[in-house]
Amino acid sequence: MGLSPSKQVAGNLESSAEFAAACTTVYNQSLSLTFPGIPRYQIASAADRLYQTLADLHLPLIDKWVTSPPTRSQIDKSLRRTVPEGAGDDGIVTLGESEFKEFAVDLYTGVIVSNAEKAVLVKVMSGVGVIGGVGVVVRSGVTVVGTVVGVYAVGVATVVYLSFSG
């Protein structure tokens, strides 16, 4: 578990031939006759088409952690991280193919890690409730219950982290 979850996910997406092909397909579909790339205002619709393309490919990482298209706020957040605000000489910001792929990797890394964090939180909270209930019934000490909760939380986080490798 030497890599952070976001680096693990980003590495998996960047090395995926299917993900790269989906990005290229959506990029080529999005090209406009008037711009040498995808204009900023078309990014949301391109992101929606990318989600549909990835869903059709049934990539395990996408199928498990991305159950719906990224939200507009997730798209905007990734766009701000990957494309400088004032880029473009004519005031129209467009993404080339490599910039679109960088945006897509950042977007899906964020979505996957966010959804995984939510899953860990839900699993840990429900497990803590069960462990605490059992501790009360069997009258275990606080130290024993706390140790079991800690071990359980680490186990859940490890299982989720290991699922990022494919």
Side-chain angles (χ1 to χ4, degrees):
M1 291 186 20
L3 290 175
S4 71
S6 59
K7 287 182 182 178
Q8 174 99 9
V9 171
N12 190 300
L13 294 175
E14 288 171 347
S15 67
S16 170
E18 294 91 352
F19 188 84
C23 289
T24 299
T25 299
V26 171
Y27 176 80
N28 289 330
Q29 291 171 348
S30 301
L31 284 178
S32 168
L33 296 176
T34 58
F35 298 106
I38 303 173
R40 184 182 288 269
Y41 64 84
Q42 289 182 351
I43 295 298
S45 63
D48 287 342
R49 286 195 310 278
L50 180 59
Y51 170 77
Q52 190 56 52
T53 302
L54 293 171
D56 291 344
L57 290 173
H58 297 290
L59 299 174
L61 203 55
I62 302 297
D63 283 348
K64 181 168 186 156
W65 297 111
V66 186
T67 57
S68 62
T71 65
R72 182 62 191 230
S73 66
Q74 290 169 320
I75 292 168
D76 290 343
K77 191 189 275 186
S78 282
L79 198 55
R80 280 192 300 275
R81 282 193 302 259
T82 57
V83 179
E85 189 60 40
D89 298 335
D90 54 5
I92 298 174
V93 177
T94 57
L95 298 183
E97 187 173 352
S98 64
E99 293 166 318
F100 180 71
K101 184 179 178 197
E102 180 184 340
F103 159 76
V105 167
D106 183 82
L107 175 64
Y108 278 89
T109 297
V111 170
I112 290 166
V113 170
S114 173
N115 288 344
E117 287 171 348
K118 290 175 191 169
V120 167
L121 184 62
V122 167
K123 289 178 182 178
V124 167
M125 294 310 291
S126 63
V128 166
V130 170
I131 293 167
V134 169
V136 168
V137 169
V138 299
R139 296 183 180 163
S140 296
V142 175
T143 306
V144 172
V145 172
T147 302
V148 172
V149 166
V151 170
Y152 175 77
V154 168
V156 169
T158 301
V159 167
V160 169
Y161 178 81
L162 292 175
S163 74
F164 291 155
S165 60

